[in-house]
Amino acid sequence: MGKKNKRRKLKRERLPFRLNILFFVMFIMFSALVLQLGVVQILKGESFQEEIDRTIRDTTKVPVPRGEVYDSNHRVVVTNKPLYAITYTPAKRVQAKNRLTVAKKLAQLISFDSKGISERNKKEYWYLENKKEAVKLLSTEEKKELDDTEEYNLILERIPKDKISDFTKNEQKIIAIKRELDKAYALTPQIVKNEGVTSEEYAMVSEHLSELPEH
């Protein structure tokens, strides 16, 4: 009887010890899971979201040419004349700096009339190229009180005219192209140039499409 009691006592003593080990292992596993979730959510969350956005299927509307129209005698009334055109189709949430990059690249590939660019177009270009200097146009109090849109508009108002008065011809060309890119809606083609597009320009743009992420 004495031996049986000792064995039972040893079993009862071992049971809490084993439970403690089991709880400790579970705690380690749970901690590792929380740590992994933290890495995914905080450290790599943005990159994973970008990958998700990249792989989501979206519908893009692309206009098609109008068909030919014939009269009752089968004579052509309306026909089509094929022309080259440079279009821009932005992805979702494309930033202004990305459109500026595309505009700079296109400026190297095509000719473009820079007439008609406004003072605001010039200020927006200067802001993107000189953000550090532009932010200094606001006081510390204004930065705290204003939201992003109000801050941006106030900066544009305060950009001195001498900052936007001596752009080179190439810079004016970039500004004009970016103005057209800014008109584009996400996933919808926007015509950048459809008059006077040469076969050489069309070929150059087609050849460098891989360098134009949103096109």
Side-chain angles (χ1 to χ4, degrees):
M1 292 293 294
K3 290 182 179 180
K4 289 183 179 180
N5 290 334
K6 287 182 180 180
R7 289 176 182 174
R8 289 176 183 175
K9 186 177 180 180
L10 287 173
K11 287 182 179 179
R12 285 197 297 269
E13 290 176 351
R14 289 174 181 172
L15 185 59
F17 178 73
R18 291 175 179 175
L19 286 174
N20 289 337
I21 292 177
L22 179 61
F23 289 145
F24 179 73
V25 172
M26 292 177 63
F27 172 77
I28 294 298
M29 293 175 65
F30 183 76
S31 299
L33 178 61
V34 171
L35 180 62
Q36 182 63 24
L37 287 174
V39 171
V40 172
Q41 292 277 347
I42 300 174
L43 299 181
K44 298 183 179 180
E46 185 175 346
S47 60
F48 284 135
Q49 186 61 51
E50 289 176 356
E51 181 65 17
I52 291 172
D53 293 340
R54 188 184 66 81
T55 55
I56 287 177
R57 291 185 177 182
D58 292 299
T59 301
T60 301
K61 295 181 179 179
V62 179
V64 297
R66 180 179 58 185
E68 294 183 338
V69 179
Y70 296 83
D71 64 12
S72 58
N73 295 317
H74 301 287
R75 290 176 298 191
V76 177
V77 178
V78 178
T79 186
N80 294 313
K81 181 181 178 182
L83 295 172
Y84 290 118
I86 307 299
T87 63
Y88 170 70
T89 306
K92 288 184 176 181
R93 293 180 289 277
V94 174
Q95 302 298 314
K97 61 181 181 180
N98 301 115
R99 292 193 293 272
L100 178 58
T101 300
V102 175
K104 288 180 177 179
K105 187 63 183 179
L106 282 177
Q108 299 173 10
L109 305 174
I110 63 175
S111 62
F112 204 85
D113 187 359
S114 60
K115 293 180 180 178
I117 56 176
S118 66
E119 183 178 283
R120 184 178 178 89
N121 297 148
K122 295 178 181 179
K123 286 184 175 181
E124 289 174 346
Y125 172 80
W126 185 88
Y127 171 84
L128 290 173
E129 292 288 79
N130 304 273
K131 273 193 174 183
K132 290 183 178 179
E133 185 177 349
V135 173
K136 295 178 181 178
L137 296 174
L138 297 179
S139 65
T140 304
E141 291 73 19
E142 288 171 333
K143 293 175 185 177
K144 292 179 180 178
E145 296 175 357
L146 301 176
D147 60 32
D148 292 342
T149 301
E150 293 171 335
E151 183 178 307
Y152 176 70
N153 288 328
L154 185 55
I155 289 175
L156 292 187
E157 288 180 14
R158 292 182 178 176
I159 294 175
K161 288 192 176 182
D162 63 286
K163 297 290 186 182
I164 60 171
S165 60
D166 58 348
F167 289 129
T168 64
K169 288 185 178 180
N170 186 62
E171 286 176 318
Q172 293 180 46
K173 181 179 176 182
I174 293 170
I175 294 170
I177 294 175
K178 181 182 175 297
R179 177 190 58 191
E180 298 305 312
L181 303 184
D182 289 340
K183 297 177 182 178
Y185 292 96
L187 307 177
T188 303
Q190 167 68 28
I191 294 176
V192 179
K193 181 181 180 181
N194 64 347
E195 294 182 3
V197 179
T198 66
S199 57
E200 289 78 10
E201 288 178 328
Y202 188 83
M204 287 289 288
V205 173
S206 299
E207 183 181 348
H208 293 85
L209 279 181
S210 60
E211 302 170 26
L212 302 168
E214 295 87 25
H215 50 269

